[in-house]
Amino acid sequence: MEAKKGKIIIISAPSGTGKSSIISKIIDIPDLALGFSVSATSRAPRGEERDGCEYYFLTPEEFSRRVEAGEFVEWEEVYKGTCYGTLLSEVERVTGEGRNLIMDIDVKGALNVKKRFGDEAISIFIMPPGIEELERRLRGRQTDSEEAIARRLGKAEYEMTFAPKFDVRVVNDDLPRAASEVEDIIRNFVNKQ
Ligand code: ADP
Ligand code: 5GP
């Protein structure tokens, strides 16, 4: 059966759980017809990140200007002084290509998008197997300073309290297994009338 397009798949989890790893495993599966929602952020690029691929990197001033201009579907100050948001132009770009939009956003943004799009959206919460493993993954990624790791771990406990509010929860223990579970959930959702 061909997938009905223009649906919204929201992926959320504490930083370091494996959202990006799961999304990169499923993004090119042909029948899911996914298109990644490139968010805007006021933070600087990390490692190999390039503008327009992982994020649209905006200065804090440009980010605020676009907030004022009403260009965001949603935005949040995810970390103190650092904002992330989904541009309406990005939702239109991906759905206009006849694709299903997959977004990697924080817990509050996720619930806001779910509220706005209702049955056209599914919210998926990815859980780490435990806090020690989350710390190991954040360190292993080698992209964050000690300070950033502490900040992300500090926030993880709070973020986990949002899990019951999502449509579904998937534990990322073994990556191929978790990615396959997310793939099945998305396939069922996009094929639903
Ligand atoms: P997020 O996008 O949620 O911040 P990443 O996808 O960047 O997380 O994953 C964080 C780190 O954990 C990466 O180094 C990644 O390779 C690793 N990782 C992801 N999933 C697993 C897993 N199931 N088991 C072990 N390591 C994992
Ligand atoms: P990172 O700095 O590790 O790339 O991302 C930090 C956090 O910002 C992650 O929890 C990610 O899900 C969230 N995030 C990324 N893009 C958006 C967005 O457009 N909106 C919201 N609300 N959160 C986002």
Side-chain angles (χ1 to χ4, degrees):
M1 195 203 314
E2 199 186 326
K4 195 171 150 221
K5 314 295 190 314
K7 295 217 174 175
I8 296 181
I9 295 112
I10 309 160
I11 308 276
S12 203
S15 181
T17 300
K19 294 177 299 281
S20 315
S21 306
I22 290 175
I23 292 172
S24 67
K25 279 194 164 293
I26 61 173
I27 190 82
D28 291 325
I29 295 174
D31 71 301
L32 300 183
L34 298 174
F36 184 66
S37 169
V38 179
S39 296
T41 179
S42 66
R43 77 155 167 78
R46 207 166 58 192
E48 306 278 288
E49 290 177 335
R50 279 167 306 146
D51 187 51
C53 292
E54 291 81 4
Y55 287 106
Y56 299 112
F57 294 99
L58 307 180
T59 61
E61 294 72 28
E62 178 65 5
F63 197 100
S64 301
R65 191 193 65 73
R66 291 185 182 223
V67 169
E68 294 299 316
E71 293 181 24
F72 285 100
V73 172
E74 63 78 37
W75 69 275
E76 295 289 334
E77 186 177 357
V78 178
Y79 300 107
K80 203 167 179 341
T82 308
C83 296
Y84 299 80
T86 308
L87 292 161
L88 182 58
S89 57
E90 189 63 10
V91 177
E92 289 170 347
R93 179 182 71 79
V94 174
T95 55
E97 287 169 359
R99 300 191 156 267
N100 297 303
L101 184 81
I102 185 163
M103 47 200 331
D104 167 351
I105 65 177
D106 91 303
V107 289
K108 286 192 188 161
L111 297 180
N112 285 336
V113 171
K114 173 66 189 178
K115 203 159 153 195
R116 175 162 173 168
F117 292 96
D119 289 345
E120 291 304 303
I122 187 168
S123 57
I124 305 175
F125 191 90
I126 314 290
M127 322 248 298
I131 204 82
E132 296 82 12
E133 173 61 16
L134 185 64
E135 182 168 359
R136 247 193 309 278
R137 288 183 192 175
L138 281 168
R139 283 188 201 291
R141 190 163 68 176
Q142 297 187 319
T143 50
D144 296 278
S145 64
E146 276 303 310
E147 190 199 345
I149 291 173
R151 199 167 53 230
R152 286 166 194 271
L153 280 175
K155 200 163 184 202
E157 217 166 309
Y158 166 74
E159 291 168 322
M160 292 291 287
T161 65
F162 284 73
K165 298 183 196 289
F166 281 65
D167 293 326
V168 280
R169 288 146 290 280
V170 173
V171 178
N172 179 19
D173 38 16
D174 174 65
L175 180 58
R177 192 211 60 76
S180 159
E181 190 178 339
V182 172
E183 176 187 341
D184 290 346
I185 290 166
I186 295 175
R187 181 168 293 111
N188 280 336
F189 174 67
V190 299
N191 284 329
K192 234 174 27 194
Q193 291 312 303

